[in-house]
Every structure is written in structure tokens, then in C-alpha cells.
Amino acid sequence: MSLTAALNNAGTGLSASSKLAQVISGNTANALTEGYARREVSLSSASGGGVRVDSVSRMVSTSLLKEKWLSDAAAGNATIRAEFAARIETGIGDAETPGSLSMLLSDLETSLISARAQPESTAGLTAIATAAKAVTDKLNTVSDDIQSARLEADRSISAQVDTLNTALEQIQELNISITRLSAQGGDTNAMMDQRQTLIARIAEIVPINTIPRIGNQVALVTTGGQTLLDGTVAKIGFAATNVMSEDMSIGTGTLSGLIVNGHVVPTADSGRMGGGTLSAAFAIRDELAPAMQESLDSFARDLIQRFSGNSVDPTLSPGDAGLFTDNNAAFNSLNEVGIAGRITLNASTDPTMGGQVWRLRDGIGATAEGLSGNSTLLSAIQNALSTTTEVASGPFAGAGKTTYAFASDLLSLAASNRLGAETAQSYATARRDAASEQLLAEGVDTDAELQNLQLVEQSYSANARVLQAIDKMMQSILEI
């Protein structure tokens, strides 16, 4: 071998070792960087001798990456649903928890029993009014919280749509830049890392598939078949609302749906944009929360109607509001939606509203106090709570229930929803965690990288010694 060939071999060896050291150090430094893919240097023998660096490639398992993205979407969807279900169950409250609906009804019954024993006691009658008002306040609070959850979901949808539009535009820009730099022979790996991070952000909002395109570009299509990016970017629209009430819905035109390229797109989990956090937010706003509101309204209606007729209070005339009212008016079955948020204690019996508590004993329609020792009406009120009546609306329509059984069934419904949602969340989270672990295992192994760096050091040192030896030989030749 000539000295020139040896010099070329050693020189290219040093260059290759230097490149390897650079890539290994980059891998180690970015071991915890989101979206970073481990780099690997491809070497080959140069035609004129020595070694040649062919490329620096991103080592990514597309199948694992796809599973990670799909599992992220499913876990995000399940988590949002589970959090909402737990929120509603907490709002209604466990039967043994002070302040729960069941406990407040128990407090009302206790106050009625005490007042029956001493109907002349103003303190006892006041305790009934206080306990009854606590029940209506509880229903108002839970109803308000349901609507707050819907409004929060609406705002979340708006924020997610903004994120989608921004990320899609950025990915399109990266696509163009990657194609241009690839044509110039430049290193596009950093741009691909950035693009992968943006895709992961989109994938949690809506599950997607990536499709390779020429020039190292990618197209994005949801698992439901909606094209988000393929040469051009989809325009996603949504109009957020500033207020939320029980009667607002997509069907009435008071809430916005999802618009893609000018067309309304279904938002169910099985739809074209379903399966991620976006469809979960739509589900809360348009399905889960309204369903729970319907159940709560059904209970409030039942509570109002138990005391609306003169069979309980003979002083009431047809059409008069009873012990519980719709904002102090008689209940209208055509206006049931949102009644849980409007139910109140009749103002004529509520001392905080200028009412007189003796009307709880003598009748809401009474114009003057009656016999202070008469507990007939108090007994009728207590009996009305424990009488089995047919539920008129909601998921329990047609079933016969006491007020206490109805409250228990409401809690059971909320608890069942939570358990189902948490079961789905546990499965989705376990799937996501497994995918994350597999992807990490395919990522940067710092121990392996450091071992490789030691080998590179040895190679660099060997090539450097060859160069030193050649230098001495050249010096000797020149001295002859």
C-alpha cells in the first residue's frame, strides 16, 4: 500500500469517527427530547479507498409510532369522559356524605318528624324551610355544574380547533422545507423531529394515520377518513359560545358544530373526527351532560309534582304552585328542560324571601294562621316524600319510586357512569403506557451509545496513530 493510500484511509477514518462521535453525542444529549428519533450513521467503503459517510438516518419504528399516537388519542378521550363522570357523581354526593342529595332529603325528613311532634314551634317549622331550601339549592348547584361542564367543553373544543389549525399549517410549512432541503442534499432530520412532535400533538386531539408522499412529505388522514393535510391544509371551523343554558344544543342552532372545509362533520367517536380529546369534549357538551341534566330535571319535576295538588295541601287551588316551584311559579310540563336549575322553595314559606313558615303547617294558600297544634299538613308532606309515584320523564320514566329511591337511583346512575368510564380509562391508559414503553425501548439507549462512543474513540485513536506513523515516514524520506 502506498503512503498516499494509507494517508487517505486514515484521513477518511478520522472523518468518519468524528461524524460518528457527533451523532452519538447528539443521541445522548437528546435522549429525553420529545419527538427526537435516534440517529444512525451509514458507512461504506469508498471507491478510491478509505471509508465514506453515506447518510445519517432517523431510526423510527413507524408501527410503534402509529400505535403510540392511536393510544394517546384513546387515553385522552377516556380520561376526559372519566373526569366528567366523577365530577357529576361527586356533585350528587354519596348517600353517607354530608351535603349529598340523599343526606339532605334525610335532613328534610328529620325536620318534618321533629315539627310533627311540636307543630307550634316556629324553630321547628323554620328547620323544615331550611332543609327544603337546602334540597333545592343542591339541585340548582348540580344543574349549574352540569352547564359549567358543557361550557368548559365548548371552550376546550375551540382551543383544540385552534391547535389543530396552527399545527397543520406548521406541518405543511415543514413539509415544504423538508422537500426543498432534501433536494439540496441537506440534513432534514431536525425538521422531521419537529414535524413528528407536531403530529403527536394533533394525534391526541384526533387519531390520525400518516401517509408518505414524495419529497419526504407526509399526508395526514384521520382514522375516520377525514383528510387533514395532503398538499393542502384542511380548514377547521368552530364558533365558541360565551354562555351555556340547558336548552342550548346543535339541534336548535344555538351551539356550533364542527366545520371542515365548509362542511359539517359528525363529532361522535365513530365519526370522521372521532376517537380523541376533541370528540370527548363534544360528547360531554352534546350527549353526556344533557343526559345527566335530563335525569336531574326528571327528579326535580317529580319533587315539584308530589306537592302540587290539593291532595297534600287542601289550601291549594288548581294551577297554584305547591311547596316546590319553578322560580316561584307553577310547573309546566312543556318547560321541563332545566327545571333542576330553577326549582325553588315556595317563597310564601321561605323566611329568607319574606315568607311565613307557619304556612308549612297551615297551608300555602292559607291567609291566616290556623291551630298551632295541627300537624295534619306536616304529616301529609312527610308521607308525600315516601309515597311511591310513577316517574313522568327521563331514563326512569314509568317506574314507581319514592323520593328517596329516586335520589338513590340518580346516584347509582352517576356511579355506574363513572365506573364504566374509569374502566375504559384504565384500559386506554394501560395501552398508551405499553406503547410508550415500547417506543422508548426503540429510542436512545444511553448505555449503548456510550459503549459505541468508546469504540469510536479507539477507532479515532488508531487512525490518528496511523497518521503519526505516516508523518514520521514522510519526514524520514524527506531527510534522505
Side-chain angles (χ1 to χ4, degrees):
M1 177 186 293
S2 67
L3 288 179
T4 302
L7 185 63
N8 179 65
N9 288 342
T12 56
L14 281 177
S15 296
S17 296
S18 177
K19 187 63 176 179
L20 284 166
Q22 176 188 345
V23 170
I24 291 171
S25 63
N27 286 339
T28 304
N30 288 282
L32 300 178
T33 301
E34 182 183 1
Y36 180 83
R38 182 174 62 86
R39 310 292 200 257
E40 192 169 286
V41 179
S42 296
L43 302 175
S44 64
S45 298
S47 57
V51 64
R52 178 180 61 201
V53 176
D54 292 325
S55 64
V56 179
S57 305
R58 298 175 74 247
M59 307 307 294
V60 179
S61 171
T62 55
S63 60
L64 284 179
L65 197 57
K66 178 180 178 180
E67 171 61 16
K68 175 63 165 58
W69 289 340
L70 293 178
S71 63
D72 281 347
N77 181 293
T79 297
I80 289 174
R81 289 170 176 268
E83 289 174 349
F84 171 75
R87 174 176 179 172
I88 297 303
E89 183 186 16
T90 300
I92 295 173
D94 183 83
E96 303 300 322
T97 302
S100 68
L101 182 58
S102 294
M103 188 66 77
L104 292 174
L105 287 171
S106 179
D107 293 343
L108 176 57
E109 182 180 34
T110 300
S111 67
L112 283 164
I113 293 173
S114 297
R116 281 179 58 189
Q118 293 181 302
E120 72 283 355
S121 170
T122 300
L125 296 174
T126 301
I128 295 174
T130 301
K133 194 170 188 303
V135 172
T136 62
D137 287 347
K138 180 67 171 180
L139 292 172
N140 296 162
T141 298
V142 177
S143 180
D144 289 345
D145 191 46
I146 290 173
Q147 297 313 309
S148 294
R150 294 184 73 205
L151 183 59
E152 290 166 16
D154 189 88
R155 290 172 176 167
S156 174
I157 293 167
S158 180
Q160 291 183 72
V161 166
D162 288 344
T163 298
L164 280 176
N165 285 323
T166 300
L168 287 170
E169 289 290 348
Q170 291 173 338
I171 292 172
Q172 173 70 335
E173 292 174 3
L174 284 169
N175 269 345
I176 295 171
S177 297
I178 287 169
T179 298
R180 183 183 302 119
L181 190 57
S182 295
Q184 296 171 353
D187 184 357
T188 61
N189 288 327
M191 289 184 180
M192 289 183 178
D193 286 343
Q194 187 178 359
R195 184 175 66 184
Q196 181 174 310
T197 300
L198 291 170
I199 293 174
R201 192 176 303 165
I202 291 174
E204 186 172 2
I205 297 173
V206 55
I208 56 173
N209 290 317
T210 59
I211 303 172
R213 294 293 189 237
I214 59 172
N216 286 326
Q217 295 195 14
V218 293
L220 302 181
V221 180
T222 70
T223 55
Q226 177 65 55
T227 300
L228 298 180
L229 172 63
D230 193 2
T232 58
V233 179
K235 302 300 180 183
I236 306 172
F238 177 79
T241 185
N242 294 320
V243 294
M244 186 68 68
S245 60
E246 297 86 349
D247 59 338
M248 294 176 70
S249 68
I250 290 181
T252 60
T254 49
L255 291 178
S256 172
L258 191 66
I259 310 296
V260 179
N261 293 331
H263 300 285
V264 177
V265 174
T267 54
D269 278 347
S270 58
R272 283 185 285 168
M273 295 288 284
T277 57
L278 183 65
S279 63
F282 270 108
I284 289 172
R285 193 195 70 171
D286 300 331
E287 300 171 23
L288 302 179
M292 208 59 225
Q293 183 70 51
E294 180 187 18
S295 299
L296 201 66
D297 287 344
S298 174
F299 178 85
R301 172 180 179 169
D302 180 80
L303 192 61
I304 290 174
Q305 291 184 321
R306 284 177 182 271
F307 306 95
S308 294
N310 55 19
S311 60
V312 175
D313 185 349
T315 67
L316 293 176
S317 299
D320 285 349
L323 179 62
F324 296 106
T325 73
D326 183 349
N327 274 340
N328 217 42
F331 173 72
N332 182 348
S333 61
L334 299 179
N335 190 32
E336 180 177 343
V337 176
I339 186 64
R342 304 190 304 271
I343 187 174
T344 59
L345 178 65
N346 196 308
S348 67
T349 67
D350 185 355
T352 64
M353 299 294 291
Q356 302 296 325
V357 294
W358 54 260
R359 286 196 172 90
L360 292 167
R361 178 192 63 212
D362 301 325
I364 291 173
T367 56
E369 288 191 64
L371 296 174
S372 62
N374 185 2
S375 63
T376 302
L377 181 55
L378 296 175
S379 296
I381 293 173
Q382 182 186 349
N383 290 336
L385 287 171
S386 56
T387 298
T388 298
T389 60
E390 185 177 300
V391 178
S393 62
F396 304 109
K401 297 184 184 298
T402 65
T403 304
Y404 310 109
F406 202 162
S408 177
D409 286 345
L410 268 183
L411 176 60
S412 294
L413 176 62
S416 176
N417 290 341
R418 175 187 59 79
L419 287 171
E422 288 183 349
T423 298
Q425 180 190 22
S426 296
Y427 170 77
T429 301
R431 177 189 171 192
R432 180 196 60 195
D433 292 345
S436 297
E437 289 178 8
Q438 288 180 311
L439 196 60
L440 286 173
E442 292 288 323
V444 177
D445 182 341
T446 53
D447 290 338
E449 294 294 332
L450 291 175
Q451 290 175 8
N452 290 335
L453 187 59
Q454 289 179 338
L455 294 176
V456 170
E457 272 187 87
Q458 294 172 8
S459 174
Y460 189 94
S461 177
N463 282 291
R465 286 198 298 271
V466 170
L467 284 177
Q468 289 175 344
I470 293 173
D471 181 62
K472 289 181 179 180
M473 294 174 67
M474 293 293 291
Q475 293 294 333
S476 297
I477 292 173
L478 292 174
E479 290 174 358
I480 297 175

